Amino acid sequence: MENIRNFCIIAHIDHGKSTLADRMLEYTKTIKITENQMLDDMDLERERGITIKSHAIQMEYSLDGKKYILNLIDTPGHVDFSYEVSRSIAACEGALLVVDATQGVQAQTISNLYMAIDHDLEIIPVINKIDMPNAMPEEVEDEILDLIGCDPEDIIRASGKTGEGVPDILKAVVERIPAPKGDPEKPLQMLIFDSIFNSFRGIIVLGKVVNGVVRQGDEVKFVQTGMEYTADEVGVLKMDLEPRKTLSTGEVGYIISGIKNATEVKVGDTITHVDQPCDKAIEGFQEVKPMVFAGVYPIDPTEYENLRSSLEKLQLNDASLTFMPESSQALGFGFRCGFLGLLHMEIVQERLDREFNMEVITTVPNVSYLVYTKQGEELEVHNPSGLPDPTEIDHIDEPYIKASIITSADYIGPIIKLCLDKRGELLDQQYISGNRVELHFMLPLGEIVIDFYDKLKSISKGYASFDYHIDSYRPSKLIKLDILLNGEPVDALSTLTHQDNAVTLGRNMCEKLKELIPRQQFDIAIQAAIGAKIVARETVKQVRKDVLAKCYGGDVSRKRKLLEKQKKGKKRMKQIGNVQVPQKAFLAVLKLD
Ligand code: GDP
Ligand code: MG
Protein backbone atom coordinates (compact mmCIF):
# COMPACT_ATOMS: atom_id res chain seq x y z
CA MET A 1 0.00 0.00 0.00
CA GLU A 2 2.95 2.31 0.81
CA ASN A 3 4.10 2.22 -2.80
CA ILE A 4 0.73 2.99 -4.45
CA ARG A 5 -0.22 6.41 -5.81
CA ASN A 6 -3.74 6.99 -7.17
CA PHE A 7 -4.25 10.19 -9.14
CA CYS A 8 -6.31 11.87 -11.84
CA ILE A 9 -5.84 14.76 -14.23
CA ILE A 10 -8.08 17.80 -14.08
CA ALA A 11 -7.97 19.80 -17.30
CA HIS A 12 -10.23 21.74 -19.59
CA ILE A 13 -10.90 20.05 -22.92
CA ASP A 14 -7.93 20.41 -25.31
CA HIS A 15 -5.56 21.60 -22.62
CA GLY A 16 -3.53 18.42 -23.18
CA LYS A 17 -4.74 15.78 -20.72
CA SER A 18 -4.52 12.88 -23.20
CA THR A 19 -1.19 13.96 -24.62
CA LEU A 20 0.39 14.27 -21.18
CA ALA A 21 -1.06 10.93 -20.13
CA ASP A 22 0.47 9.33 -23.22
CA ARG A 23 3.84 10.83 -22.37
CA MET A 24 3.68 9.40 -18.88
CA LEU A 25 2.77 5.96 -20.24
CA GLU A 26 5.65 6.21 -22.62
CA TYR A 27 8.13 7.39 -20.00
CA THR A 28 7.17 4.56 -17.64
CA LYS A 29 7.32 2.11 -20.59
CA THR A 30 3.70 1.11 -20.05
CA ILE A 31 3.36 1.60 -23.77
CA LYS A 32 6.14 1.89 -26.27
CA ILE A 33 5.45 4.46 -28.90
CA THR A 34 7.57 3.58 -31.91
CA GLU A 35 6.80 4.34 -35.52
CA ASN A 36 5.89 0.70 -36.14
CA GLN A 37 3.57 0.41 -33.24
CA MET A 38 1.71 3.55 -34.17
CA LEU A 39 0.96 1.87 -37.48
CA ASP A 40 -0.43 -1.16 -35.70
CA ASP A 41 -3.00 1.10 -34.08
CA MET A 42 -5.83 -0.58 -35.92
CA ASP A 43 -5.51 -4.02 -34.45
CA LEU A 44 -7.99 -5.12 -31.88
CA GLU A 45 -5.57 -5.68 -29.01
CA ARG A 46 -4.54 -2.07 -29.17
CA GLU A 47 -8.05 -0.84 -29.52
CA ARG A 48 -8.98 -2.70 -26.37
CA GLY A 49 -5.99 -1.15 -24.64
CA ILE A 50 -7.14 2.27 -25.63
CA THR A 51 -10.60 1.75 -24.14
CA ILE A 52 -8.99 0.76 -20.89
CA LYS A 53 -6.54 3.61 -21.05
CA SER A 54 -9.37 6.08 -21.29
CA HIS A 55 -10.82 4.83 -17.97
CA ALA A 56 -7.88 3.95 -15.75
CA ILE A 57 -4.38 2.64 -16.28
CA GLN A 58 -1.58 1.35 -14.10
CA MET A 59 2.07 2.34 -14.52
CA GLU A 60 5.22 1.13 -12.83
CA TYR A 61 7.77 3.74 -11.87
CA SER A 62 11.03 3.67 -9.91
CA LEU A 63 12.42 6.50 -7.83
CA ASP A 64 15.63 6.28 -5.79
CA GLY A 65 15.69 2.53 -6.21
CA LYS A 66 12.13 2.08 -4.92
CA LYS A 67 9.33 0.75 -7.10
CA TYR A 68 5.94 2.46 -7.20
CA ILE A 69 2.58 1.60 -8.74
CA LEU A 70 0.89 4.67 -10.21
CA ASN A 71 -2.80 4.45 -11.08
CA LEU A 72 -4.02 7.16 -13.43
CA ILE A 73 -7.80 7.39 -13.24
CA ASP A 74 -9.66 9.24 -15.95
CA THR A 75 -12.24 11.87 -15.18
CA PRO A 76 -14.97 12.59 -17.73
CA GLY A 77 -14.47 16.18 -18.83
CA HIS A 78 -17.99 17.48 -19.21
CA VAL A 79 -20.40 18.95 -16.66
CA ASP A 80 -23.14 16.55 -17.72
CA PHE A 81 -21.12 13.84 -16.08
CA SER A 82 -20.09 15.77 -13.00
CA TYR A 83 -21.27 13.06 -10.63
CA GLU A 84 -19.03 10.56 -12.38
CA VAL A 85 -16.17 13.06 -12.14
CA SER A 86 -16.64 13.31 -8.41
CA ARG A 87 -16.52 9.50 -7.99
CA SER A 88 -13.28 9.29 -10.00
CA ILE A 89 -11.87 12.02 -7.80
CA ALA A 90 -13.01 10.19 -4.66
CA ALA A 91 -10.90 7.20 -5.74
CA CYS A 92 -7.71 9.28 -5.81
CA GLU A 93 -5.36 10.85 -3.28
CA GLY A 94 -3.99 13.43 -5.68
CA ALA A 95 -4.69 15.32 -8.90
CA LEU A 96 -2.68 17.00 -11.60
CA LEU A 97 -4.19 20.37 -12.39
CA VAL A 98 -3.24 20.88 -16.03
CA VAL A 99 -3.66 24.34 -17.53
CA ASP A 100 -2.86 25.31 -21.11
CA ALA A 101 -0.21 28.05 -21.10
CA THR A 102 -1.92 29.79 -24.01
CA GLN A 103 -5.46 29.67 -22.61
CA GLY A 104 -5.37 29.97 -18.85
CA VAL A 105 -7.81 28.54 -16.32
CA GLN A 106 -11.31 27.71 -17.61
CA ALA A 107 -14.69 27.34 -15.89
CA GLN A 108 -14.86 23.54 -15.88
CA THR A 109 -11.32 23.30 -14.57
CA ILE A 110 -12.32 25.34 -11.56
CA SER A 111 -15.38 23.30 -10.70
CA ASN A 112 -13.45 20.03 -10.96
CA LEU A 113 -10.63 21.52 -8.92
CA TYR A 114 -13.05 22.48 -6.16
CA MET A 115 -14.38 18.93 -6.18
CA ALA A 116 -10.83 17.63 -5.76
CA ILE A 117 -10.13 20.06 -2.94
CA ASP A 118 -13.38 19.01 -1.23
CA HIS A 119 -12.09 15.42 -1.29
CA ASP A 120 -8.76 16.57 0.26
CA LEU A 121 -6.71 15.62 -2.78
CA GLU A 122 -3.13 16.80 -3.06
CA ILE A 123 -3.03 19.15 -6.06
CA ILE A 124 -0.01 19.27 -8.39
CA PRO A 125 -0.33 22.28 -10.69
CA VAL A 126 1.07 21.87 -14.21
CA ILE A 127 1.34 24.54 -16.89
CA ASN A 128 1.26 22.66 -20.20
CA LYS A 129 2.14 23.59 -23.79
CA ILE A 130 5.03 25.83 -22.75
CA ASP A 131 6.62 25.04 -26.12
CA MET A 132 4.04 27.15 -27.91
CA PRO A 133 5.17 30.57 -29.15
CA ASN A 134 2.10 32.28 -27.67
CA ALA A 135 2.46 30.60 -24.26
CA MET A 136 2.00 32.98 -21.31
CA PRO A 137 3.38 30.93 -18.41
CA GLU A 138 3.75 33.97 -16.08
CA GLU A 139 0.10 35.06 -16.45
CA VAL A 140 -1.13 31.51 -16.08
CA GLU A 141 1.10 31.06 -13.05
CA ASP A 142 -0.58 34.09 -11.44
CA GLU A 143 -4.00 32.61 -12.13
CA ILE A 144 -3.00 29.33 -10.52
CA LEU A 145 -1.47 31.04 -7.50
CA ASP A 146 -4.69 33.03 -7.03
CA LEU A 147 -6.73 29.89 -7.36
CA ILE A 148 -4.93 27.50 -5.02
CA GLY A 149 -2.46 29.69 -3.15
CA CYS A 150 0.51 27.35 -3.57
CA ASP A 151 4.21 28.13 -3.80
CA PRO A 152 5.37 29.27 -7.27
CA GLU A 153 8.04 26.53 -7.11
CA ASP A 154 5.30 23.91 -6.80
CA ILE A 155 4.06 24.65 -10.30
CA ILE A 156 5.57 22.36 -12.94
CA ARG A 157 6.04 23.69 -16.45
CA ALA A 158 5.60 21.01 -19.08
CA SER A 159 4.97 20.19 -22.69
CA GLY A 160 3.11 17.14 -23.85
CA LYS A 161 4.60 17.78 -27.25
CA THR A 162 8.31 17.80 -26.39
CA GLY A 163 8.01 15.74 -23.21
CA GLU A 164 9.62 18.50 -21.15
CA GLY A 165 8.61 18.38 -17.49
CA VAL A 166 7.13 14.87 -17.70
CA PRO A 167 9.80 13.29 -15.43
CA ASP A 168 9.18 16.09 -12.91
CA ILE A 169 5.48 15.34 -12.95
CA LEU A 170 6.02 11.65 -12.21
CA LYS A 171 8.48 12.47 -9.46
CA ALA A 172 6.01 14.91 -7.90
CA VAL A 173 3.26 12.27 -8.06
CA VAL A 174 5.39 9.96 -5.90
CA GLU A 175 6.80 12.61 -3.57
CA ARG A 176 3.77 14.81 -3.00
CA ILE A 177 0.74 12.55 -3.26
CA PRO A 178 0.15 10.43 -0.16
CA ALA A 179 -0.22 6.66 -0.36
CA PRO A 180 -3.82 5.42 0.04
CA LYS A 181 -5.07 4.79 3.56
CA GLY A 182 -7.41 2.02 4.61
CA ASP A 183 -7.40 -1.22 6.54
CA PRO A 184 -6.89 -4.59 4.82
CA GLU A 185 -8.28 -6.35 7.91
CA LYS A 186 -11.66 -4.60 7.68
CA PRO A 187 -14.63 -5.95 5.70
CA LEU A 188 -14.42 -5.24 1.96
CA GLN A 189 -15.42 -1.82 0.64
CA MET A 190 -14.68 -1.17 -3.02
CA LEU A 191 -15.79 2.14 -4.54
CA ILE A 192 -17.11 1.86 -8.10
CA PHE A 193 -15.93 4.81 -10.16
CA ASP A 194 -16.55 3.62 -13.68
CA SER A 195 -17.57 0.69 -15.87
CA ILE A 196 -16.65 -0.53 -19.32
CA PHE A 197 -19.03 -2.41 -21.61
CA ASN A 198 -17.44 -5.31 -23.42
CA SER A 199 -19.61 -7.34 -25.78
CA PHE A 200 -17.81 -10.60 -24.94
CA ARG A 201 -17.26 -10.28 -21.23
CA GLY A 202 -20.15 -8.09 -20.16
CA ILE A 203 -19.68 -5.15 -17.84
CA ILE A 204 -16.18 -4.64 -16.45
CA VAL A 205 -16.60 -2.82 -13.15
CA LEU A 206 -13.76 -0.48 -12.18
CA GLY A 207 -13.14 0.45 -8.60
CA LYS A 208 -10.77 1.20 -5.79
CA VAL A 209 -10.48 -1.06 -2.78
CA VAL A 210 -10.95 1.34 0.13
CA ASN A 211 -10.82 -1.34 2.86
CA GLY A 212 -10.38 -5.12 2.90
CA VAL A 213 -9.39 -7.52 0.14
CA VAL A 214 -11.32 -9.01 -2.78
CA ARG A 215 -10.30 -12.38 -4.23
CA GLN A 216 -11.16 -14.14 -7.43
CA GLY A 217 -14.23 -16.32 -6.84
CA ASP A 218 -15.57 -14.25 -3.92
CA GLU A 219 -19.31 -13.80 -3.53
CA VAL A 220 -19.84 -10.04 -3.66
CA LYS A 221 -22.77 -7.70 -3.16
CA PHE A 222 -23.46 -4.21 -4.55
CA VAL A 223 -24.75 -2.26 -1.57
CA GLN A 224 -27.10 0.23 -3.30
CA THR A 225 -28.74 -2.22 -5.67
CA GLY A 226 -28.60 -5.20 -3.29
CA MET A 227 -27.58 -7.45 -6.21
CA GLU A 228 -25.19 -10.35 -5.58
CA TYR A 229 -22.62 -11.77 -8.00
CA THR A 230 -19.56 -13.99 -8.15
CA ALA A 231 -16.31 -12.15 -8.86
CA ASP A 232 -15.34 -14.46 -11.75
CA GLU A 233 -12.21 -12.44 -12.45
CA VAL A 234 -10.41 -9.66 -10.61
CA GLY A 235 -7.36 -7.82 -11.83
CA VAL A 236 -5.58 -4.62 -12.70
CA LEU A 237 -5.67 -2.44 -15.81
CA LYS A 238 -2.57 -2.12 -17.91
CA MET A 239 -2.85 -1.76 -21.65
CA ASP A 240 -5.02 -4.85 -21.33
CA LEU A 241 -6.82 -6.56 -18.45
CA GLU A 242 -4.32 -8.36 -16.19
CA PRO A 243 -6.01 -10.93 -13.96
CA ARG A 244 -4.79 -11.21 -10.34
CA LYS A 245 -5.69 -13.52 -7.50
CA THR A 246 -6.54 -10.62 -5.19
CA LEU A 247 -6.98 -6.86 -5.03
CA SER A 248 -6.04 -5.38 -1.70
CA THR A 249 -6.66 -2.12 0.16
CA GLY A 250 -5.54 0.94 -1.82
CA GLU A 251 -5.43 -0.91 -5.14
CA VAL A 252 -7.35 0.13 -8.23
CA GLY A 253 -8.65 -2.62 -10.48
CA TYR A 254 -11.56 -4.40 -12.05
CA ILE A 255 -14.11 -7.11 -11.34
CA ILE A 256 -15.90 -9.13 -14.00
CA SER A 257 -18.97 -11.03 -12.90
CA GLY A 258 -21.08 -11.63 -15.97
CA ILE A 259 -23.20 -8.48 -15.65
CA LYS A 260 -24.80 -7.73 -19.00
CA ASN A 261 -26.57 -4.46 -18.41
CA ALA A 262 -24.98 -1.17 -17.38
CA THR A 263 -28.06 -0.14 -15.42
CA GLU A 264 -27.11 -2.76 -12.77
CA VAL A 265 -23.83 -0.95 -12.12
CA LYS A 266 -24.12 2.41 -10.44
CA VAL A 267 -21.11 4.68 -10.28
CA GLY A 268 -20.53 5.57 -6.63
CA ASP A 269 -21.93 2.27 -5.31
CA THR A 270 -19.92 0.13 -2.86
CA ILE A 271 -19.00 -3.52 -3.44
CA THR A 272 -18.69 -5.72 -0.35
CA HIS A 273 -18.68 -9.42 0.56
CA VAL A 274 -21.93 -11.34 0.86
CA ASP A 275 -20.84 -13.28 3.98
CA GLN A 276 -18.94 -10.52 5.77
CA PRO A 277 -20.49 -7.27 4.59
CA CYS A 278 -19.27 -3.82 5.58
CA ASP A 279 -21.62 -2.03 7.97
CA LYS A 280 -22.11 0.93 5.67
CA ALA A 281 -21.57 2.03 2.08
CA ILE A 282 -18.89 4.54 1.17
CA GLU A 283 -20.46 7.96 1.60
CA GLY A 284 -21.71 10.22 -1.11
CA PHE A 285 -23.68 7.83 -3.28
CA GLN A 286 -26.20 9.70 -5.32
CA GLU A 287 -28.40 8.41 -8.09
CA VAL A 288 -27.85 10.47 -11.23
CA LYS A 289 -31.13 11.77 -12.52
CA PRO A 290 -31.78 12.86 -16.07
CA MET A 291 -32.52 16.58 -16.25
CA VAL A 292 -33.14 17.13 -19.94
CA PHE A 293 -35.88 15.37 -21.89
CA ALA A 294 -36.83 15.15 -25.53
CA GLY A 295 -39.15 13.07 -27.67
CA VAL A 296 -37.40 10.76 -30.13
CA TYR A 297 -39.58 9.48 -33.00
CA PRO A 298 -38.74 7.31 -35.99
CA ILE A 299 -39.28 9.14 -39.27
CA ASP A 300 -40.64 5.92 -40.66
CA PRO A 301 -43.37 4.70 -38.24
CA THR A 302 -42.60 1.05 -39.05
CA GLU A 303 -39.17 1.55 -37.48
CA TYR A 304 -40.65 1.95 -34.00
CA GLU A 305 -39.57 -1.49 -32.74
CA ASN A 306 -36.10 -0.99 -34.22
CA LEU A 307 -35.81 2.28 -32.40
CA ARG A 308 -36.75 0.57 -29.16
CA SER A 309 -34.11 -2.12 -29.59
CA SER A 310 -31.49 0.48 -30.54
CA LEU A 311 -32.22 2.44 -27.38
CA GLU A 312 -32.05 -0.77 -25.34
CA LYS A 313 -28.64 -1.53 -26.82
CA LEU A 314 -27.40 1.96 -26.10
CA GLN A 315 -28.55 1.60 -22.53
CA LEU A 316 -26.41 -1.54 -22.13
CA ASN A 317 -23.35 0.67 -21.90
CA ASP A 318 -24.88 3.99 -20.95
CA ALA A 319 -26.68 3.59 -17.67
CA SER A 320 -27.70 7.23 -17.49
CA LEU A 321 -29.89 7.12 -20.60
CA THR A 322 -33.57 6.61 -19.78
CA PHE A 323 -36.49 6.18 -22.14
CA MET A 324 -40.16 5.37 -22.04
CA PRO A 325 -42.75 4.97 -24.75
CA GLU A 326 -44.73 8.07 -25.58
CA SER A 327 -47.10 8.97 -28.35
CA SER A 328 -47.73 12.23 -30.04
CA GLN A 329 -50.73 13.11 -32.16
CA ALA A 330 -48.34 14.73 -34.58
CA LEU A 331 -45.47 12.28 -34.62
CA GLY A 332 -47.06 8.96 -33.78
CA PHE A 333 -45.29 6.44 -31.56
CA GLY A 334 -41.86 7.17 -30.13
CA PHE A 335 -39.99 7.55 -26.86
CA ARG A 336 -39.41 10.27 -24.31
CA CYS A 337 -35.72 10.06 -23.53
CA GLY A 338 -34.03 11.47 -20.46
CA PHE A 339 -30.47 12.78 -20.62
CA LEU A 340 -28.03 14.12 -18.04
CA GLY A 341 -27.61 17.28 -20.05
CA LEU A 342 -27.28 18.70 -23.53
CA LEU A 343 -23.99 17.08 -24.43
CA HIS A 344 -25.32 13.71 -23.37
CA MET A 345 -28.34 14.28 -25.61
CA GLU A 346 -26.13 15.07 -28.57
CA ILE A 347 -24.01 11.98 -27.96
CA VAL A 348 -27.09 9.73 -27.94
CA GLN A 349 -28.48 11.28 -31.14
CA GLU A 350 -25.14 10.88 -32.83
CA ARG A 351 -24.86 7.25 -31.79
CA LEU A 352 -28.41 6.42 -32.93
CA ASP A 353 -27.52 7.80 -36.31
CA ARG A 354 -24.00 6.34 -36.65
CA GLU A 355 -24.23 2.98 -34.93
CA PHE A 356 -27.84 2.09 -35.62
CA ASN A 357 -28.59 4.03 -38.76
CA MET A 358 -31.84 5.26 -37.19
CA GLU A 359 -33.48 8.25 -38.81
CA VAL A 360 -35.30 10.04 -36.05
CA ILE A 361 -37.08 13.27 -35.33
CA THR A 362 -36.15 14.76 -31.99
CA THR A 363 -38.41 17.30 -30.42
CA VAL A 364 -37.30 20.41 -28.61
CA PRO A 365 -35.58 19.47 -25.37
CA ASN A 366 -37.16 20.52 -22.13
CA VAL A 367 -36.41 20.10 -18.47
CA SER A 368 -38.25 18.29 -15.73
CA TYR A 369 -40.93 20.45 -14.06
CA LEU A 370 -42.66 20.02 -10.74
CA VAL A 371 -46.34 20.84 -11.13
CA TYR A 372 -48.47 21.47 -8.03
CA THR A 373 -52.19 21.07 -8.59
CA LYS A 374 -54.94 22.85 -6.70
CA GLN A 375 -55.79 19.45 -5.17
CA GLY A 376 -52.35 19.51 -3.56
CA GLU A 377 -50.79 16.88 -5.82
CA GLU A 378 -47.16 17.10 -6.91
CA LEU A 379 -46.45 15.85 -10.45
CA GLU A 380 -43.16 15.54 -12.26
CA VAL A 381 -43.75 16.56 -15.86
CA HIS A 382 -41.22 15.82 -18.61
CA ASN A 383 -43.25 16.97 -21.56
CA PRO A 384 -45.23 20.20 -22.14
CA SER A 385 -48.11 18.21 -23.57
CA GLY A 386 -48.29 16.22 -20.33
CA LEU A 387 -49.24 19.33 -18.38
CA PRO A 388 -52.59 19.21 -16.58
CA ASP A 389 -55.35 21.62 -17.57
CA PRO A 390 -54.24 25.21 -16.70
CA THR A 391 -57.25 25.72 -14.43
CA GLU A 392 -56.09 22.81 -12.24
CA ILE A 393 -52.54 24.08 -11.79
CA ASP A 394 -51.67 25.90 -8.60
CA HIS A 395 -48.06 26.61 -9.53
CA ILE A 396 -45.06 25.16 -11.38
CA ASP A 397 -41.46 24.88 -10.15
CA GLU A 398 -38.59 24.65 -12.59
CA PRO A 399 -34.93 23.66 -12.05
CA TYR A 400 -32.38 26.43 -11.63
CA ILE A 401 -28.66 26.09 -12.15
CA LYS A 402 -25.74 27.94 -10.67
CA ALA A 403 -23.55 28.83 -13.62
CA SER A 404 -19.98 29.96 -13.78
CA ILE A 405 -18.69 31.78 -16.86
CA ILE A 406 -15.08 32.76 -17.40
CA THR A 407 -14.45 35.34 -20.06
CA SER A 408 -12.13 38.09 -21.09
CA ALA A 409 -13.39 41.39 -19.63
CA ASP A 410 -14.26 42.69 -23.11
CA TYR A 411 -17.35 40.50 -23.28
CA ILE A 412 -18.80 41.08 -19.80
CA GLY A 413 -21.50 43.47 -21.02
CA PRO A 414 -22.99 41.25 -23.73
CA ILE A 415 -22.72 38.14 -21.54
CA ILE A 416 -24.60 39.76 -18.66
CA LYS A 417 -27.24 40.92 -21.11
CA LEU A 418 -27.60 37.42 -22.53
CA CYS A 419 -28.01 35.91 -19.06
CA LEU A 420 -30.54 38.54 -18.00
CA ASP A 421 -32.51 37.93 -21.21
CA LYS A 422 -32.53 34.27 -20.21
CA ARG A 423 -34.14 35.21 -16.89
CA GLY A 424 -30.81 34.92 -15.08
CA GLU A 425 -29.63 36.71 -12.00
CA LEU A 426 -26.03 37.87 -11.65
CA LEU A 427 -24.64 36.70 -8.31
CA ASP A 428 -21.11 38.08 -8.42
CA GLN A 429 -18.12 38.80 -10.62
CA GLN A 430 -14.44 38.44 -9.82
CA TYR A 431 -11.28 39.24 -11.71
CA ILE A 432 -9.11 36.12 -11.77
CA SER A 433 -6.12 37.72 -13.45
CA GLY A 434 -5.33 40.67 -15.67
CA ASN A 435 -8.17 40.81 -18.12
CA ARG A 436 -10.09 37.70 -17.17
CA VAL A 437 -13.26 37.59 -15.14
CA GLU A 438 -15.36 34.87 -13.54
CA LEU A 439 -19.12 35.56 -13.38
CA HIS A 440 -21.69 33.59 -11.40
CA PHE A 441 -25.36 33.45 -12.33
CA MET A 442 -28.54 31.72 -11.25
CA LEU A 443 -30.34 30.66 -14.41
CA PRO A 444 -33.35 28.50 -15.25
CA LEU A 445 -32.05 25.25 -16.78
CA GLY A 446 -34.92 25.40 -19.27
CA GLU A 447 -33.37 28.50 -20.86
CA ILE A 448 -29.97 26.84 -21.15
CA VAL A 449 -31.26 23.82 -23.06
CA ILE A 450 -32.60 26.03 -25.81
CA ASP A 451 -29.80 27.95 -27.48
CA PHE A 452 -27.64 29.33 -24.73
CA TYR A 453 -24.31 27.68 -25.63
CA ASP A 454 -24.38 28.84 -29.21
CA LYS A 455 -25.19 32.40 -28.23
CA LEU A 456 -22.55 32.50 -25.51
CA LYS A 457 -19.97 31.21 -27.96
CA SER A 458 -20.87 33.65 -30.67
CA ILE A 459 -20.92 36.77 -28.48
CA SER A 460 -17.59 35.87 -26.87
CA LYS A 461 -16.04 34.77 -30.18
CA GLY A 462 -15.62 31.31 -28.69
CA TYR A 463 -13.60 32.43 -25.69
CA ALA A 464 -16.05 32.22 -22.81
CA SER A 465 -16.12 28.94 -20.91
CA PHE A 466 -19.21 27.76 -19.12
CA ASP A 467 -19.96 25.33 -16.33
CA TYR A 468 -23.04 24.66 -14.23
CA HIS A 469 -24.62 22.49 -11.60
CA ILE A 470 -28.23 22.06 -10.60
CA ASP A 471 -29.04 24.27 -7.64
CA SER A 472 -32.72 24.09 -6.75
CA TYR A 473 -36.31 24.02 -7.97
CA ARG A 474 -37.99 27.41 -7.87
CA PRO A 475 -41.51 28.59 -8.63
CA SER A 476 -41.88 30.22 -12.03
CA LYS A 477 -44.70 31.80 -13.99
CA LEU A 478 -44.69 29.25 -16.76
CA ILE A 479 -47.38 28.81 -19.36
CA LYS A 480 -47.85 26.51 -22.30
CA LEU A 481 -47.58 27.91 -25.77
CA ASP A 482 -49.28 25.83 -28.48
CA ILE A 483 -48.75 25.90 -32.21
CA LEU A 484 -51.61 25.15 -34.61
CA LEU A 485 -51.31 24.23 -38.27
CA ASN A 486 -54.54 24.86 -40.17
CA GLY A 487 -56.35 24.94 -36.85
CA GLU A 488 -54.90 21.63 -35.57
CA PRO A 489 -52.69 21.88 -32.47
CA VAL A 490 -49.35 20.13 -33.03
CA ASP A 491 -48.41 18.66 -29.68
CA ALA A 492 -44.77 18.15 -30.62
CA LEU A 493 -44.38 21.91 -31.12
CA SER A 494 -45.74 22.94 -27.73
CA THR A 495 -43.33 24.60 -25.33
CA LEU A 496 -43.43 25.76 -21.75
CA THR A 497 -42.25 29.31 -21.43
CA HIS A 498 -42.25 32.21 -19.02
CA GLN A 499 -45.44 34.23 -19.35
CA ASP A 500 -43.57 37.47 -20.04
CA ASN A 501 -41.88 35.92 -23.06
CA ALA A 502 -44.77 33.89 -24.39
CA VAL A 503 -46.23 36.34 -26.91
CA THR A 504 -42.87 37.24 -28.42
CA LEU A 505 -41.91 33.58 -28.58
CA GLY A 506 -45.22 32.79 -30.28
CA ARG A 507 -44.61 35.46 -32.88
CA ASN A 508 -41.05 34.32 -33.52
CA MET A 509 -42.11 30.69 -33.75
CA CYS A 510 -44.77 31.50 -36.36
CA GLU A 511 -42.29 33.52 -38.42
CA LYS A 512 -39.68 30.78 -38.25
CA LEU A 513 -42.17 28.05 -39.14
CA LYS A 514 -43.30 30.10 -42.10
CA GLU A 515 -39.72 30.01 -43.36
CA LEU A 516 -39.33 26.30 -42.72
CA ILE A 517 -42.60 24.87 -44.01
CA PRO A 518 -42.59 24.65 -47.80
CA ARG A 519 -45.47 25.88 -49.90
CA GLN A 520 -48.07 23.27 -50.66
CA GLN A 521 -51.20 22.97 -52.80
CA PHE A 522 -53.20 25.11 -50.35
CA ASP A 523 -52.69 27.91 -47.85
CA ILE A 524 -51.34 26.86 -44.46
CA ALA A 525 -52.27 28.89 -41.40
CA ILE A 526 -49.67 28.86 -38.63
CA GLN A 527 -50.96 30.08 -35.29
CA ALA A 528 -49.56 30.40 -31.80
CA ALA A 529 -52.01 30.07 -28.93
CA ILE A 530 -52.03 30.39 -25.17
CA GLY A 531 -55.01 28.36 -24.03
CA ALA A 532 -57.86 29.43 -26.35
CA LYS A 533 -56.27 32.76 -27.20
CA ILE A 534 -54.44 33.13 -30.53
CA VAL A 535 -51.43 35.38 -30.01
CA ALA A 536 -49.74 35.24 -33.42
CA ARG A 537 -50.47 34.13 -36.95
CA GLU A 538 -48.66 33.66 -40.26
CA THR A 539 -49.68 32.09 -43.57
CA VAL A 540 -47.73 29.94 -45.99
CA LYS A 541 -49.34 30.75 -49.34
CA GLN A 542 -50.21 27.95 -51.73
CA VAL A 543 -47.89 27.08 -54.60
CA ARG A 544 -48.75 29.19 -57.59
CA LYS A 545 -47.56 26.97 -60.39
CA ASP A 546 -46.18 23.52 -60.91
CA VAL A 547 -42.49 23.33 -60.01
CA LEU A 548 -41.84 21.29 -63.10
CA ALA A 549 -43.04 24.12 -65.28
CA LYS A 550 -39.71 25.73 -64.49
CA CYS A 551 -38.00 23.02 -66.48
CA TYR A 552 -38.25 24.23 -69.98
CA GLY A 553 -38.21 22.02 -73.01
CA GLY A 554 -38.02 18.29 -72.84
CA ASP A 555 -34.97 17.98 -70.62
CA VAL A 556 -35.97 14.66 -69.13
CA SER A 557 -32.89 14.04 -67.04
CA ARG A 558 -33.25 17.40 -65.41
CA LYS A 559 -36.90 16.74 -64.64
CA ARG A 560 -36.00 13.42 -63.13
CA LYS A 561 -33.32 14.97 -61.01
CA LEU A 562 -35.76 17.51 -59.67
CA LEU A 563 -38.30 14.82 -58.84
CA GLU A 564 -35.64 12.77 -57.07
CA LYS A 565 -34.60 15.76 -55.10
CA GLN A 566 -38.18 16.34 -54.04
CA LYS A 567 -38.54 12.72 -53.05
CA LYS A 568 -35.44 12.93 -50.88
CA GLY A 569 -36.75 16.08 -49.28
CA LYS A 570 -40.02 14.30 -48.55
CA LYS A 571 -38.31 11.54 -46.65
CA ARG A 572 -37.50 13.98 -43.92
CA MET A 573 -41.04 15.32 -43.91
CA LYS A 574 -43.77 14.34 -41.52
CA GLN A 575 -47.40 14.47 -42.55
CA ILE A 576 -49.45 16.36 -39.97
CA GLY A 577 -53.12 16.52 -40.87
CA ASN A 578 -52.86 17.54 -44.51
CA VAL A 579 -49.63 19.49 -44.05
CA GLN A 580 -46.10 18.26 -44.82
CA VAL A 581 -43.79 19.43 -42.07
CA PRO A 582 -40.01 19.13 -42.41
CA GLN A 583 -37.96 17.72 -39.56
CA LYS A 584 -36.22 21.05 -39.04
CA ALA A 585 -39.52 22.63 -38.06
CA PHE A 586 -39.68 20.56 -34.87
CA LEU A 587 -36.54 22.26 -33.69
CA ALA A 588 -37.67 25.72 -34.85
CA VAL A 589 -37.60 27.09 -31.34
CA LEU A 590 -33.86 26.35 -31.20
CA LYS A 591 -33.20 28.41 -34.29
CA LEU A 592 -34.82 31.70 -33.30
CA ASP A 593 -32.55 34.68 -33.06
P1 GDP B 1 -7.31 16.89 -23.98
O1 GDP B 1 -8.61 17.26 -24.61
O2 GDP B 1 -7.07 17.66 -22.71
O3 GDP B 1 -7.12 15.42 -23.81
O4 GDP B 1 -6.17 17.44 -24.97
P2 GDP B 1 -5.26 16.64 -26.00
O5 GDP B 1 -4.19 15.90 -25.30
O6 GDP B 1 -6.12 15.88 -26.93
O7 GDP B 1 -4.56 17.87 -26.72
C1 GDP B 1 -5.29 18.84 -27.46
C2 GDP B 1 -4.44 19.38 -28.58
O8 GDP B 1 -3.31 20.08 -28.08
C3 GDP B 1 -3.87 18.30 -29.48
O9 GDP B 1 -3.91 18.79 -30.81
C4 GDP B 1 -2.45 18.13 -29.00
O10 GDP B 1 -1.60 17.69 -30.03
C5 GDP B 1 -2.09 19.53 -28.56
N1 GDP B 1 -1.13 19.53 -27.47
C6 GDP B 1 -1.21 18.86 -26.30
N2 GDP B 1 -0.16 19.14 -25.50
C7 GDP B 1 0.61 20.02 -26.19
C8 GDP B 1 1.86 20.69 -25.91
O11 GDP B 1 2.45 20.58 -24.84
N3 GDP B 1 2.33 21.52 -26.87
C9 GDP B 1 1.70 21.71 -28.04
N4 GDP B 1 2.24 22.53 -28.93
N5 GDP B 1 0.54 21.10 -28.35
C10 GDP B 1 0.00 20.27 -27.44
MG1 MG C 1 -8.45 13.86 -24.40
Side-chain angles (χ1 to χ4, degrees), residues 513-520 524 540-541 573 580-582:
L513 287 168
K514 184 184 175 186
E515 268 173 48
L516 294 173
I517 296 177
R519 292 178 170 211
Q520 290 161 40
I524 302 164
V540 178
K541 288 279 180 208
M573 296 272 198
Q580 294 275 339
V581 181

Side-chain angles (χ1 to χ4, degrees), residues 52 59 92 152 207 218 275 286 302 368 422 427 437 439 526 528:
I52 291 164
M59 301 174 247
C92 298
D218 282 356
D275 55 1
Q286 171 192 336
T302 63
S368 143
K422 296 287 185 188
L427 299 176
V437 183
L439 305 161
I526 305 170

Side-chain angles (χ1 to χ4, degrees), residues 13-14 16-19:
I13 189 147
D14 281 344
K17 181 165 87 168
S18 307
T19 313

